[in-house]
Structure formats: structure tokens, C-alpha cells
Amino acid sequence: MRELSRPIGSGMRVYPGDPEVVIEPALHLDRDGVDVARLHLGSHTGTHLDAPSHTVAGGRTTGGIGLDELVGEALVVHLDGLVAGQRYGLVELERALGGPLPERVPPIVVLDTGWAERFDTEEVLDHPALDPAAAAELVRRGMHVLAVDTLSPDPSSDGGEAGFPVHEVVLGGDRLIVENLCGLAGLPERIRVGFFPLRVDLDGAPVRAVAFG
């Protein structure tokens, strides 16, 4: 089993405009008999799930998402050579796969851009972004969960001013997005993965992400 999720800690990187992460003592063992921490963080902290309601009015919240939607076979695409700010699409996906995209893809598609290693740098904001047309084609071919190692499958450098077209395609189709994966290097093209969110009923939630096998 391999860990694919980021540790959560005070001051960690968040999407521009999201709540900062603060973890501090609330109760103390020597004073109160127990240690308890107070957590202040946004619902899209670290490695997390986007529910449809994140960008779709009236969309499903995390409370309406079953774990069976978040565990299953994944197609892992290792996209070498992408550059800052690049829009990548079917051409880059098929080049990475060494052949045509399968007519039917597994329910989970994991895109490894290599940008996870830039998470703690300013470069993280200028990550490659998926072409919305490619996202639509992945949905057509059976993708239910789009999982990426970047802050978003859409551009982040503008703080969302240009909109969220990939979110519109995926979440607008009542499908799901997982962001900020790590530890993807070396995963095989097909592997079983799972994303386990906090049991809250919100627009998103941090997840524990794992690869099995």
C-alpha cells in the first residue's frame, strides 16, 4: 500500500484565497489531563475531494458521495516533460501512454504531471492544466473520478479569474475531482486506488489517498 496524500500542517500551501491552515493546542496533558489539538482549515486543504457542489449550484455534497465511487481501478498517466502553464490534452495523454487512449477507461483517471514536487515552491501556482475537451473525452470514455497532482486541473495562477472549465465538465456531470496527490512516481499504468474523505457533508473534504498493491 502506498500513501498518495499530503500531510496537513500549519502554514502549508493552500489554493489562493482559501483559509490558511492553523493547528494549535486546545487542551494540554499536564493541565487538562489530555492532549487535544484545535484545527482551522478549509474543506479543500491538502489532498482533497471536490464534490459537485463545489462549483455547481444544487450539486451533490460530500454527504451524498459513496465510498464505492472513490475506490476502484485507476488508469495512471505519467506526463513527462510538461512545462509551466502548459495546457495538455489528448495528444499528451496518448504520447505518455505510448498509444491510443482506451475507448473505455477505468472509473478513476490519475494524472501525474510531476508538479507534486513543486508543492512548497511558488512554481506550484503555474502548474500545467488539463484541456477541457480532453476532460470531456475522458468523461465520455467512462471516467468518474479525475485525480491530479496539482492544485487544480484548471489553471491556478490567476486564482480562478478565467473560470473553472474542467470543473464544469467533470463536476457538472456529477462526477468527482481529487487534487494535490503526491507519491505517484513509479506507479503502474493500472492499479487500484482509494480516496477516503472526512465524513462531513460539505463542498469538499481532505482525503487519505492510497494505492493498493
Side-chain angles (χ1 to χ4, degrees), residues 85-166:
Q86 181 177 347
R87 277 279 192 185
Y88 62 94
L90 290 181
V91 170
E92 288 78 14
L93 294 179
E94 292 186 335
R95 181 182 300 133
L97 291 170
L101 189 70
E103 182 55 37
R104 295 300 297 174
V105 299
I108 301 171
V109 175
V110 176
L111 302 180
D112 173 20
T113 69
W115 237 251
E117 62 190 44
R118 295 170 169 84
F119 186 77
D120 292 318
T121 75
E122 288 306 311
E123 293 178 83
V124 70
L125 294 173
D126 203 21
H127 60 77
L130 184 62
D131 185 335
E137 186 61 24
L138 288 169
V139 167
R140 188 188 73 78
R141 298 189 188 207
M143 180 185 71
H144 187 73
V145 180
L146 171 63
V148 297
D149 66 341
T150 49
L151 291 174
S152 171
D154 289 304
S156 298
S157 57
D158 64 354
E161 290 183 9
F164 302 95
V166 173

